[in-house]
Amino acid sequence: MRRGFASLGLVGWLVATTGCSPGRVERHVTLHYTDAQRMFLVPVSRALDTPRDPAKAIEATLESLREPPSKELRQAIASGSHVAVRSLNGPHLELDVTIPEHGSGSSDEQFLASALVKTAATVVPLEDVRLRLLTPAGVPLKGTHLDLERPFSPTDPAFENLYQGGEETGLAAMLYFPLPGDSLLAPVRIPLPGTAGPEPVRETFARWHEGPPEDLQSFMKGARSARTRLGWAGIRGGEATVVWQNAPEATPSAIAIRSLVLTLTEFTGVQHVRIVTPAGPIQVRIGAFDLASPIGRPDEVNSWPEHAS
């Protein structure tokens, strides 16, 4: 009897100190949704109370994809769909995805696969994910637009937002721009010209400063205001320096700084971004960013509950 009371006491202590039952654990995950126009995959990070078992945690997290935290977002999984873990063997995951109907557009199928693969990989470390599409009766389906015979990698550039524009030089950079009407950032891979080879970071900064390409401006907006002027000052020792040329008259927003730092630190040679004025360093804090010090890459692109409805 005493042992039973001791066990109950341990359970109570765990619940009181962790906020979760012994069979559950809080995980920091990144959920992937689409924008309202279904053009981009948008990551949103949050702390989620999940089962301690990794396979069950993946299923619970993928179920959370049904709850977009903003009116600017849409779920990538169609209503009536169901996702189950068929197997989890170390870094290799197999998922069964039951869908109510088949024959959706290529972007819908791509977003479904991308959202599932990239979200699952934030729950546990994964190298590859195999998907099996099923009818509600459990009959396997062939992918209409995806090759389901091969596994998908969470880091495959084809699973990013690949903007098919510009020159086909093989050079591209990931830029982060806000969605219209919200402060959510969406990543988009934009081709670079062949002349960008020697200085791809500088060319990427120039593209960021210009804002989204014209044919994307209906879906996303520039991060900086038209009045804010920023200039490129080069890279040294893993630190990219940007000059705030008209400080303090036109102050960049916190979302603009986040967008800029995320964009530049996509390059492995850039660990920090320093923002200075023509007169030198400046003692200014904008949102969470202290411009007196070099800024490292933010832990999250977007976070919940900041964007909860």
Side-chain angles (χ1 to χ4, degrees):
M1 183 65 70
R2 289 179 181 175
R3 182 174 298 174
F5 280 124
S7 298
L8 289 174
L10 176 60
V11 171
W13 178 82
L14 285 170
V15 172
T17 57
T18 68
C20 302
S21 67
R24 303 184 70 81
V25 64
E26 185 176 84
R27 286 180 167 88
H28 194 80
V29 299
T30 299
L31 309 172
H32 292 79
Y33 304 93
T34 74
D35 66 304
Q37 288 76 30
R38 300 187 71 78
M39 287 287 295
F40 309 106
L41 200 65
V42 183
V44 181
S45 300
R46 66 172 297 188
L48 193 65
D49 176 26
T50 64
R52 188 174 297 274
D53 178 77
K56 293 180 179 179
I58 290 173
E59 291 181 344
T61 300
L62 296 180
E63 285 294 317
S64 296
L65 291 176
R66 305 182 190 282
E67 307 170 19
S70 166
K71 63 182 181 181
E72 300 296 321
L73 299 178
R74 299 291 183 270
Q75 60 186 30
I77 302 177
S79 298
S81 299
H82 177 69
V83 182
V85 172
R86 185 164 77 252
S87 70
L88 177 61
N89 183 14
H92 310 292
L93 173 67
E94 296 185 354
L95 292 175
D96 281 344
V97 186
T98 302
I99 56 177
E101 58 184 33
H102 203 41
S104 59
S106 59
S107 62
D108 287 346
E109 196 168 273
Q110 172 80 7
F111 279 137
L112 169 65
S114 299
L116 292 175
V117 171
K118 294 180 75 65
T119 298
T122 70
V123 182
V124 298
L126 295 174
E127 292 179 5
D128 54 71
V129 179
R130 286 185 178 273
L131 300 179
R132 185 171 67 167
L133 298 182
L134 304 171
T135 68
V139 178
L141 294 165
K142 289 186 177 181
T144 306
H145 307 283
L146 293 176
D147 179 8
L148 299 179
E149 297 300 318
R150 66 178 182 88
F152 300 106
S153 167
T155 58
D156 185 350
F159 265 26
E160 302 290 356
N161 297 310
L162 184 61
Y163 168 60
Q164 304 292 341
E167 302 177 52
E168 295 183 3
T169 63
L171 298 174
M174 186 72 77
L175 283 76
Y176 293 79
F177 292 116
L179 298 177
D182 208 331
S183 57
L184 286 161
L185 292 174
V188 57
R189 190 175 296 274
I190 295 179
L192 298 178
T195 54
E199 295 186 276
V201 185
R202 179 175 185 167
E203 181 65 29
T204 299
F205 169 78
R207 294 300 174 97
W208 177 89
H209 197 268
E210 293 172 0
E214 184 176 356
D215 49 353
L216 291 183
Q217 291 175 7
S218 298
F219 310 105
M220 51 177 33
K221 58 186 180 181
R224 69 176 185 90
S225 70
R227 295 182 57 242
T228 305
R229 296 199 308 273
L230 301 172
W232 179 250
I235 303 172
R236 184 175 182 180
E239 183 176 289
T241 300
V242 173
V243 181
W244 178 8
Q245 296 171 332
N246 59 341
E249 288 80 11
T251 303
S253 65
I255 195 69
I257 295 174
R258 175 180 292 271
S259 165
L260 174 63
V261 174
L262 284 166
T263 296
L264 296 184
T265 56
E266 280 285 334
F267 292 89
T268 56
V270 180
Q271 286 77 50
H272 298 88
V273 176
R274 183 181 291 275
I275 301 177
V276 300
T277 70
I282 185 171
Q283 300 288 329
V284 172
R285 177 176 287 275
I286 299 176
F289 301 104
D290 182 4
L291 272 58
S293 303
I295 304 168
R297 185 177 180 84
D299 294 332
E300 303 167 344
V301 176
N302 303 297
S303 61
W304 190 340
E306 280 86 344
H307 296 102
S309 300

